[in-house]
Amino acid sequence: MNLPTPAGFKTGQACYHCGLPVPPASYYPVIIQGKQQLMCCAGCQAVAMAIVDGGLDNFYQFRTSNNERPSNQDENDHNRWAIYDLPDVQAEFVIPFDVSLKQVNLLLEGISCAACSWLIETHLKQNPAIKSVTVNLSTHRCAVVCDAGQPLSQIFQSLASIGYLPRPATDDQQQELIKRENRIALFRIGVAGFGTMQAMMVAVGMYTGATDFWLDFLRWLSMLVATPVVFFSAWPFFQAAWRSIRMRHLVMDVPVALAIGLAYLASVWATLTSSGEVYFESVSMFTLFLLVGRYVELRARHRNRLAFGNLAQLMPLTACCLREENGCETEQTTPLKALALGDKVRVKPGETFPCDGRVLAGESTVVEALLTGESRPVVKRSGDTVIAGTLNNQSPLTIEVTAVGAATQLSAIERLASQAAEEKPQQVLAADRIARFFIARLLIVCTAVFAFWLWYRPDHALWVTLSVLVVTCPCALALAMPAALSAATANLRQRGFLVARGHVVETLNSINRVIFDKTGTLTKGQFNVVKVTAYNGESLSKPEQDRLLGLAAALEQGSNHPLAAAFHQWTDAYKAEDIKQTTAAGVEGRIEGQHYRLGTMEFAGESLPPEIRDSLTLPDGHYSWLLLSGEQGALAWIALEDELRPDAASLVQTLKSRGIYVELLSGDQTGAVAQLARQLGIDDFISGAKPGDKLSHLAKRQAAGDKVLMIGDGINDVPVLSGADVSVAMASASDLAQTRADSVLLNDHLGVIADALEIARRTKAIIQQNLRFSLAYNVIALPLAAAGMVPPWLAALGMTASSLIVIFNALRLTR
């Protein structure tokens, strides 16, 4: 409300929220922590009141900078967010997890410090429908996991009410943020480089005999060119240092900011008083070297993000849809967002597939290297599936759309990659703690060094202290682990091994036991019917075999289990109703009024008379056998055969040669599992294991001290994948298995598992090299700097060089 100016109003008083001047004719008060604070406008007043009413007024105590002034808008204009409740609009930035949860990805304007992150997360979590909130300060991204039925307009309105303007986090906007970050970094380097060159030219005159008037003139000129370097180029160091001090969390920017600030202030004082020494050229050079090192790190981070974190940029903007018009099929250029399930799309040679789909017509080779790491083109024929983002190589293909937008495999890979990038492994967290410990002790050492030189040679005290601050800044120590882990993750991604959790590379080094699932893991999961016999072993006629296979196909209709694909050629014979699937057991349903079961001997024989059930035995131990039973009794044994993956045997032998125990843990029957174990040379195997059995076996191994790598692909593997120390889901795995696994094998090459273990070993070695180098550098540099043997500019060069050495050493892991 706009009221008359109160008594005691001070002209030019700053708005408590945004820092802009409060107009003399305005009065917008808010009581914050028991004290009245004035705002400049109704917008700031509304935002401040929303913060206070939510019990979040501590935000103002911990923020490190003023907030942005909210845009002027009608208070009744909350309906402007209603557009984001439309499903078509949500397709780009909302990810459905399941029927009950979804994730909303947003970009927020107005974030300025860590307190903003706290405010956003705390404010949104007051809504019981919101399960989790994650804010990334560097990218301004916000991920909100909430109930599937939660209207997005309420989330947008809630964020706007506390002064943060939300926008959908699309790839275009993320790329714009990356470009802006790169542009401002280069601008800061340019200003620092120009200032450094000019300051060094002026320093030549000062150190070669300039006296009296000319010495003062050159000092003022040096201060003139160094000031933009300090207040623009070096400003991020001051911001980060002040933020960390306010949050009581020391970071490596604290000694950097102290060195730059103290050197600049001392030089300004010496210039104003015409006494002492000036360090403007050292300040400028120090800032330049630091910025160059940070920029190299920035580019490496962006390169890794582009390698696997922004895969959606591979997608075309339009697709060539086939439409029926007047009985003829015509091609129409359709925006990618307008594609729908079931549409027919033609993809020409050299074009990227705009969606996941099934080939209807044509034969061509497809390059899937960017997604699976497979460099050789893969032949695609009618009935095969194609993945969005891959490249058609030879001939036109007509495909049927099976998934678009966030539902594609490409989007799923991007989500998993982003999730891994945001998780910090325990090694990195430990390095952060060591760096904070080191910084605290460094500040104590610097105080002691300054006190000694102030007593011994006061004119050297400042620059010696600055050298100690700079040369021992633990930048290399803090970069040693993240740089190596990031490079290793990028290398694995290129090989088709997608890391979805931050701890994977670290934990792979301690793995001493690998447990394989059978179907779809060690085998291809492509079953074929090889034999049909009566339950008592008698042979059946061909028409009778086809009838029984038709019954089995009807029961398997609609199932995504690998076994179901073996019955596709008999699917039109019968129609089943009331189908019910039992995990790791079988399927049952009604066909023409009769109840049938198909599955394991125990499951299918459950409804049989005891005398028949007790007499059942598997025909042999070479195949996977399914029993078909009905109300009239046991009907037939159906033998299925699965093809072994060509590199399964070599992987098992490689693991055993490295001293890693190998187990086979399968829900299949004893005979087929034992046969496969003998074929691969696996001594330990368990068959007929249900999901609960697998999990209890895993827990038993872990209780004995084993670190377990679990590799599987089915829904029945989800519990054990979630419980393993490291889990790998195959490319053909169910969506649920892939989301619960720590990593995903994007191609069909099991040998990549051995590569991952080797890269993890190399990563550990590189990290140890980086840590040893960082510690050795600091141990050697500290006494030299404390002894006054290292000038500030050389200290800056040494610290930057140590950081670059660590980064380039880590980049060897990308090869």
Side-chain angles (χ1 to χ4, degrees), residues 254-272:
V254 172
V256 169
L258 279 173
I260 295 174
L262 290 175
Y264 177 77
L265 292 176
S267 301
V268 169
W269 176 255
T271 301
L272 294 176

mmCIF file with all atom_site columns, all heavy atoms in Angstrom, residues 254-272:
data_model
loop_
_atom_site.group_PDB
_atom_site.id
_atom_site.type_symbol
_atom_site.label_atom_id
_atom_site.label_alt_id
_atom_site.label_comp_id
_atom_site.label_asym_id
_atom_site.label_entity_id
_atom_site.label_seq_id
_atom_site.pdbx_PDB_ins_code
_atom_site.Cartn_x
_atom_site.Cartn_y
_atom_site.Cartn_z
_atom_site.occupancy
_atom_site.B_iso_or_equiv
_atom_site.pdbx_formal_charge
_atom_site.auth_seq_id
_atom_site.auth_comp_id
_atom_site.auth_asym_id
_atom_site.auth_atom_id
_atom_site.pdbx_PDB_model_num
ATOM 1   N N   . VAL A 1 254 ? 38.882 -18.093 -0.815 1.00 0.00 ? 254 VAL A N   1
ATOM 2   C CA  . VAL A 1 254 ? 39.145 -17.214 0.329  1.00 0.00 ? 254 VAL A CA  1
ATOM 3   C C   . VAL A 1 254 ? 40.597 -16.715 0.315  1.00 0.00 ? 254 VAL A C   1
ATOM 4   O O   . VAL A 1 254 ? 40.832 -15.494 0.358  1.00 0.00 ? 254 VAL A O   1
ATOM 5   C CB  . VAL A 1 254 ? 38.803 -17.924 1.649  1.00 0.00 ? 254 VAL A CB  1
ATOM 6   C CG1 . VAL A 1 254 ? 39.257 -17.088 2.846  1.00 0.00 ? 254 VAL A CG1 1
ATOM 7   C CG2 . VAL A 1 254 ? 37.299 -18.181 1.738  1.00 0.00 ? 254 VAL A CG2 1
ATOM 8   N N   . PRO A 1 255 ? 41.624 -17.587 0.262  1.00 0.00 ? 255 PRO A N   1
ATOM 9   C CA  . PRO A 1 255 ? 42.990 -17.053 0.200  1.00 0.00 ? 255 PRO A CA  1
ATOM 10  C C   . PRO A 1 255 ? 43.265 -16.273 -1.082 1.00 0.00 ? 255 PRO A C   1
ATOM 11  O O   . PRO A 1 255 ? 44.047 -15.315 -1.070 1.00 0.00 ? 255 PRO A O   1
ATOM 12  C CB  . PRO A 1 255 ? 43.877 -18.305 0.282  1.00 0.00 ? 255 PRO A CB  1
ATOM 13  C CG  . PRO A 1 255 ? 43.002 -19.442 -0.076 1.00 0.00 ? 255 PRO A CG  1
ATOM 14  C CD  . PRO A 1 255 ? 41.625 -19.061 0.367  1.00 0.00 ? 255 PRO A CD  1
ATOM 15  N N   . VAL A 1 256 ? 42.631 -16.671 -2.192 1.00 0.00 ? 256 VAL A N   1
ATOM 16  C CA  . VAL A 1 256 ? 42.811 -15.936 -3.442 1.00 0.00 ? 256 VAL A CA  1
ATOM 17  C C   . VAL A 1 256 ? 42.284 -14.515 -3.296 1.00 0.00 ? 256 VAL A C   1
ATOM 18  O O   . VAL A 1 256 ? 42.950 -13.527 -3.653 1.00 0.00 ? 256 VAL A O   1
ATOM 19  C CB  . VAL A 1 256 ? 42.095 -16.661 -4.603 1.00 0.00 ? 256 VAL A CB  1
ATOM 20  C CG1 . VAL A 1 256 ? 42.054 -15.786 -5.840 1.00 0.00 ? 256 VAL A CG1 1
ATOM 21  C CG2 . VAL A 1 256 ? 42.793 -17.973 -4.910 1.00 0.00 ? 256 VAL A CG2 1
ATOM 22  N N   . ALA A 1 257 ? 41.064 -14.365 -2.761 1.00 0.00 ? 257 ALA A N   1
ATOM 23  C CA  . ALA A 1 257 ? 40.470 -13.042 -2.591 1.00 0.00 ? 257 ALA A CA  1
ATOM 24  C C   . ALA A 1 257 ? 41.281 -12.206 -1.604 1.00 0.00 ? 257 ALA A C   1
ATOM 25  O O   . ALA A 1 257 ? 41.461 -10.990 -1.795 1.00 0.00 ? 257 ALA A O   1
ATOM 26  C CB  . ALA A 1 257 ? 39.018 -13.168 -2.121 1.00 0.00 ? 257 ALA A CB  1
ATOM 27  N N   . LEU A 1 258 ? 41.759 -12.838 -0.546 1.00 0.00 ? 258 LEU A N   1
ATOM 28  C CA  . LEU A 1 258 ? 42.594 -12.115 0.425  1.00 0.00 ? 258 LEU A CA  1
ATOM 29  C C   . LEU A 1 258 ? 43.871 -11.594 -0.232 1.00 0.00 ? 258 LEU A C   1
ATOM 30  O O   . LEU A 1 258 ? 44.274 -10.439 -0.015 1.00 0.00 ? 258 LEU A O   1
ATOM 31  C CB  . LEU A 1 258 ? 42.949 -13.037 1.591  1.00 0.00 ? 258 LEU A CB  1
ATOM 32  C CG  . LEU A 1 258 ? 41.899 -13.214 2.690  1.00 0.00 ? 258 LEU A CG  1
ATOM 33  C CD1 . LEU A 1 258 ? 42.342 -14.279 3.683  1.00 0.00 ? 258 LEU A CD1 1
ATOM 34  C CD2 . LEU A 1 258 ? 41.647 -11.890 3.405  1.00 0.00 ? 258 LEU A CD2 1
ATOM 35  N N   . ALA A 1 259 ? 44.510 -12.451 -1.039 1.00 0.00 ? 259 ALA A N   1
ATOM 36  C CA  . ALA A 1 259 ? 45.760 -12.039 -1.687 1.00 0.00 ? 259 ALA A CA  1
ATOM 37  C C   . ALA A 1 259 ? 45.521 -10.861 -2.631 1.00 0.00 ? 259 ALA A C   1
ATOM 38  O O   . ALA A 1 259 ? 46.253 -9.862  -2.600 1.00 0.00 ? 259 ALA A O   1
ATOM 39  C CB  . ALA A 1 259 ? 46.361 -13.218 -2.443 1.00 0.00 ? 259 ALA A CB  1
ATOM 40  N N   . ILE A 1 260 ? 44.508 -10.958 -3.471 1.00 0.00 ? 260 ILE A N   1
ATOM 41  C CA  . ILE A 1 260 ? 44.227 -9.879  -4.428 1.00 0.00 ? 260 ILE A CA  1
ATOM 42  C C   . ILE A 1 260 ? 43.818 -8.611  -3.697 1.00 0.00 ? 260 ILE A C   1
ATOM 43  O O   . ILE A 1 260 ? 44.318 -7.510  -3.978 1.00 0.00 ? 260 ILE A O   1
ATOM 44  C CB  . ILE A 1 260 ? 43.125 -10.324 -5.417 1.00 0.00 ? 260 ILE A CB  1
ATOM 45  C CG1 . ILE A 1 260 ? 43.618 -11.485 -6.267 1.00 0.00 ? 260 ILE A CG1 1
ATOM 46  C CG2 . ILE A 1 260 ? 42.705 -9.156  -6.305 1.00 0.00 ? 260 ILE A CG2 1
ATOM 47  C CD1 . ILE A 1 260 ? 42.553 -12.074 -7.176 1.00 0.00 ? 260 ILE A CD1 1
ATOM 48  N N   . GLY A 1 261 ? 42.895 -8.755  -2.743 1.00 0.00 ? 261 GLY A N   1
ATOM 49  C CA  . GLY A 1 261 ? 42.385 -7.581  -2.035 1.00 0.00 ? 261 GLY A CA  1
ATOM 50  C C   . GLY A 1 261 ? 43.443 -6.877  -1.223 1.00 0.00 ? 261 GLY A C   1
ATOM 51  O O   . GLY A 1 261 ? 43.568 -5.638  -1.275 1.00 0.00 ? 261 GLY A O   1
ATOM 52  N N   . LEU A 1 262 ? 44.230 -7.647  -0.460 1.00 0.00 ? 262 LEU A N   1
ATOM 53  C CA  . LEU A 1 262 ? 45.256 -7.024  0.378  1.00 0.00 ? 262 LEU A CA  1
ATOM 54  C C   . LEU A 1 262 ? 46.340 -6.360  -0.467 1.00 0.00 ? 262 LEU A C   1
ATOM 55  O O   . LEU A 1 262 ? 46.792 -5.244  -0.162 1.00 0.00 ? 262 LEU A O   1
ATOM 56  C CB  . LEU A 1 262 ? 45.873 -8.073  1.300  1.00 0.00 ? 262 LEU A CB  1
ATOM 57  C CG  . LEU A 1 262 ? 44.964 -8.610  2.418  1.00 0.00 ? 262 LEU A CG  1
ATOM 58  C CD1 . LEU A 1 262 ? 45.653 -9.721  3.179  1.00 0.00 ? 262 LEU A CD1 1
ATOM 59  C CD2 . LEU A 1 262 ? 44.546 -7.485  3.362  1.00 0.00 ? 262 LEU A CD2 1
ATOM 60  N N   . ALA A 1 263 ? 46.762 -7.052  -1.538 1.00 0.00 ? 263 ALA A N   1
ATOM 61  C CA  . ALA A 1 263 ? 47.792 -6.461  -2.394 1.00 0.00 ? 263 ALA A CA  1
ATOM 62  C C   . ALA A 1 263 ? 47.300 -5.180  -3.049 1.00 0.00 ? 263 ALA A C   1
ATOM 63  O O   . ALA A 1 263 ? 48.029 -4.190  -3.143 1.00 0.00 ? 263 ALA A O   1
ATOM 64  C CB  . ALA A 1 263 ? 48.223 -7.471  -3.457 1.00 0.00 ? 263 ALA A CB  1
ATOM 65  N N   . TYR A 1 264 ? 46.051 -5.184  -3.483 1.00 0.00 ? 264 TYR A N   1
ATOM 66  C CA  . TYR A 1 264 ? 45.500 -3.985  -4.144 1.00 0.00 ? 264 TYR A CA  1
ATOM 67  C C   . TYR A 1 264 ? 45.356 -2.842  -3.145 1.00 0.00 ? 264 TYR A C   1
ATOM 68  O O   . TYR A 1 264 ? 45.761 -1.695  -3.420 1.00 0.00 ? 264 TYR A O   1
ATOM 69  C CB  . TYR A 1 264 ? 44.153 -4.315  -4.773 1.00 0.00 ? 264 TYR A CB  1
ATOM 70  C CG  . TYR A 1 264 ? 43.482 -3.118  -5.399 1.00 0.00 ? 264 TYR A CG  1
ATOM 71  C CD1 . TYR A 1 264 ? 43.905 -2.633  -6.631 1.00 0.00 ? 264 TYR A CD1 1
ATOM 72  C CD2 . TYR A 1 264 ? 42.440 -2.454  -4.757 1.00 0.00 ? 264 TYR A CD2 1
ATOM 73  C CE1 . TYR A 1 264 ? 43.300 -1.522  -7.210 1.00 0.00 ? 264 TYR A CE1 1
ATOM 74  C CE2 . TYR A 1 264 ? 41.827 -1.353  -5.323 1.00 0.00 ? 264 TYR A CE2 1
ATOM 75  C CZ  . TYR A 1 264 ? 42.264 -0.890  -6.546 1.00 0.00 ? 264 TYR A CZ  1
ATOM 76  O OH  . TYR A 1 264 ? 41.668 0.212   -7.111 1.00 0.00 ? 264 TYR A OH  1
ATOM 77  N N   . LEU A 1 265 ? 44.797 -3.116  -1.958 1.00 0.00 ? 265 LEU A N   1
ATOM 78  C CA  . LEU A 1 265 ? 44.603 -2.057  -0.960 1.00 0.00 ? 265 LEU A CA  1
ATOM 79  C C   . LEU A 1 265 ? 45.939 -1.492  -0.485 1.00 0.00 ? 265 LEU A C   1
ATOM 80  O O   . LEU A 1 265 ? 46.082 -0.271  -0.304 1.00 0.00 ? 265 LEU A O   1
ATOM 81  C CB  . LEU A 1 265 ? 43.804 -2.603  0.225  1.00 0.00 ? 265 LEU A CB  1
ATOM 82  C CG  . LEU A 1 265 ? 42.342 -2.958  -0.070 1.00 0.00 ? 265 LEU A CG  1
ATOM 83  C CD1 . LEU A 1 265 ? 41.689 -3.581  1.157  1.00 0.00 ? 265 LEU A CD1 1
ATOM 84  C CD2 . LEU A 1 265 ? 41.556 -1.716  -0.514 1.00 0.00 ? 265 LEU A CD2 1
ATOM 85  N N   . ALA A 1 266 ? 46.931 -2.382  -0.270 1.00 0.00 ? 266 ALA A N   1
ATOM 86  C CA  . ALA A 1 266 ? 48.249 -1.899  0.145  1.00 0.00 ? 266 ALA A CA  1
ATOM 87  C C   . ALA A 1 266 ? 48.881 -1.030  -0.934 1.00 0.00 ? 266 ALA A C   1
ATOM 88  O O   . ALA A 1 266 ? 49.513 0.000   -0.641 1.00 0.00 ? 266 ALA A O   1
ATOM 89  C CB  . ALA A 1 266 ? 49.155 -3.087  0.460  1.00 0.00 ? 266 ALA A CB  1
ATOM 90  N N   . SER A 1 267 ? 48.675 -1.418  -2.195 1.00 0.00 ? 267 SER A N   1
ATOM 91  C CA  . SER A 1 267 ? 49.233 -0.633  -3.299 1.00 0.00 ? 267 SER A CA  1
ATOM 92  C C   . SER A 1 267 ? 48.526 0.708   -3.427 1.00 0.00 ? 267 SER A C   1
ATOM 93  O O   . SER A 1 267 ? 49.154 1.741   -3.716 1.00 0.00 ? 267 SER A O   1
ATOM 94  C CB  . SER A 1 267 ? 49.113 -1.429  -4.608 1.00 0.00 ? 267 SER A CB  1
ATOM 95  O OG  . SER A 1 267 ? 49.794 -2.655  -4.524 1.00 0.00 ? 267 SER A OG  1
ATOM 96  N N   . VAL A 1 268 ? 47.215 0.726   -3.216 1.00 0.00 ? 268 VAL A N   1
ATOM 97  C CA  . VAL A 1 268 ? 46.465 1.993   -3.252 1.00 0.00 ? 268 VAL A CA  1
ATOM 98  C C   . VAL A 1 268 ? 46.948 2.915   -2.140 1.00 0.00 ? 268 VAL A C   1
ATOM 99  O O   . VAL A 1 268 ? 47.158 4.129   -2.354 1.00 0.00 ? 268 VAL A O   1
ATOM 100 C CB  . VAL A 1 268 ? 44.959 1.717   -3.124 1.00 0.00 ? 268 VAL A CB  1
ATOM 101 C CG1 . VAL A 1 268 ? 44.189 3.025   -2.891 1.00 0.00 ? 268 VAL A CG1 1
ATOM 102 C CG2 . VAL A 1 268 ? 44.429 1.015   -4.376 1.00 0.00 ? 268 VAL A CG2 1
ATOM 103 N N   . TRP A 1 269 ? 47.145 2.349   -0.935 1.00 0.00 ? 269 TRP A N   1
ATOM 104 C CA  . TRP A 1 269 ? 47.632 3.165   0.179  1.00 0.00 ? 269 TRP A CA  1
ATOM 105 C C   . TRP A 1 269 ? 49.036 3.725   -0.126 1.00 0.00 ? 269 TRP A C   1
ATOM 106 O O   . TRP A 1 269 ? 49.301 4.902   0.145  1.00 0.00 ? 269 TRP A O   1
ATOM 107 C CB  . TRP A 1 269 ? 47.662 2.327   1.449  1.00 0.00 ? 269 TRP A CB  1
ATOM 108 C CG  . TRP A 1 269 ? 48.242 3.054   2.639  1.00 0.00 ? 269 TRP A CG  1
ATOM 109 C CD1 . TRP A 1 269 ? 49.466 2.891   3.196  1.00 0.00 ? 269 TRP A CD1 1
ATOM 110 C CD2 . TRP A 1 269 ? 47.598 4.084   3.382  1.00 0.00 ? 269 TRP A CD2 1
ATOM 111 N NE1 . TRP A 1 269 ? 49.646 3.745   4.246  1.00 0.00 ? 269 TRP A NE1 1
ATOM 112 C CE2 . TRP A 1 269 ? 48.501 4.494   4.403  1.00 0.00 ? 269 TRP A CE2 1
ATOM 113 C CE3 . TRP A 1 269 ? 46.356 4.692   3.322  1.00 0.00 ? 269 TRP A CE3 1
ATOM 114 C CZ2 . TRP A 1 269 ? 48.188 5.489   5.313  1.00 0.00 ? 269 TRP A CZ2 1
ATOM 115 C CZ3 . TRP A 1 269 ? 46.038 5.683   4.244  1.00 0.00 ? 269 TRP A CZ3 1
ATOM 116 C CH2 . TRP A 1 269 ? 46.950 6.074   5.222  1.00 0.00 ? 269 TRP A CH2 1
ATOM 117 N N   . ALA A 1 270 ? 49.897 2.875   -0.699 1.00 0.00 ? 270 ALA A N   1
ATOM 118 C CA  . ALA A 1 270 ? 51.238 3.350   -1.040 1.00 0.00 ? 270 ALA A CA  1
ATOM 119 C C   . ALA A 1 270 ? 51.182 4.447   -2.102 1.00 0.00 ? 270 ALA A C   1
ATOM 120 O O   . ALA A 1 270 ? 51.979 5.405   -2.082 1.00 0.00 ? 270 ALA A O   1
ATOM 121 C CB  . ALA A 1 270 ? 52.092 2.179   -1.539 1.00 0.00 ? 270 ALA A CB  1
ATOM 122 N N   . THR A 1 271 ? 50.253 4.350   -3.024 1.00 0.00 ? 271 THR A N   1
ATOM 123 C CA  . THR A 1 271 ? 50.099 5.369   -4.072 1.00 0.00 ? 271 THR A CA  1
ATOM 124 C C   . THR A 1 271 ? 49.595 6.680   -3.499 1.00 0.00 ? 271 THR A C   1
ATOM 125 O O   . THR A 1 271 ? 50.085 7.767   -3.841 1.00 0.00 ? 271 THR A O   1
ATOM 126 C CB  . THR A 1 271 ? 49.138 4.857   -5.162 1.00 0.00 ? 271 THR A CB  1
ATOM 127 O OG1 . THR A 1 271 ? 49.657 3.643   -5.716 1.00 0.00 ? 271 THR A OG1 1
ATOM 128 C CG2 . THR A 1 271 ? 48.978 5.875   -6.274 1.00 0.00 ? 271 THR A CG2 1
ATOM 129 N N   . LEU A 1 272 ? 48.613 6.598   -2.598 1.00 0.00 ? 272 LEU A N   1
ATOM 130 C CA  . LEU A 1 272 ? 48.035 7.812   -2.019 1.00 0.00 ? 272 LEU A CA  1
ATOM 131 C C   . LEU A 1 272 ? 49.028 8.533   -1.118 1.00 0.00 ? 272 LEU A C   1
ATOM 132 O O   . LEU A 1 272 ? 49.015 9.777   -1.035 1.00 0.00 ? 272 LEU A O   1
ATOM 133 C CB  . LEU A 1 272 ? 46.771 7.457   -1.220 1.00 0.00 ? 272 LEU A CB  1
ATOM 134 C CG  . LEU A 1 272 ? 45.586 6.921   -2.037 1.00 0.00 ? 272 LEU A CG  1
ATOM 135 C CD1 . LEU A 1 272 ? 44.448 6.511   -1.118 1.00 0.00 ? 272 LEU A CD1 1
ATOM 136 C CD2 . LEU A 1 272 ? 45.089 7.984   -3.034 1.00 0.00 ? 272 LEU A CD2 1
#
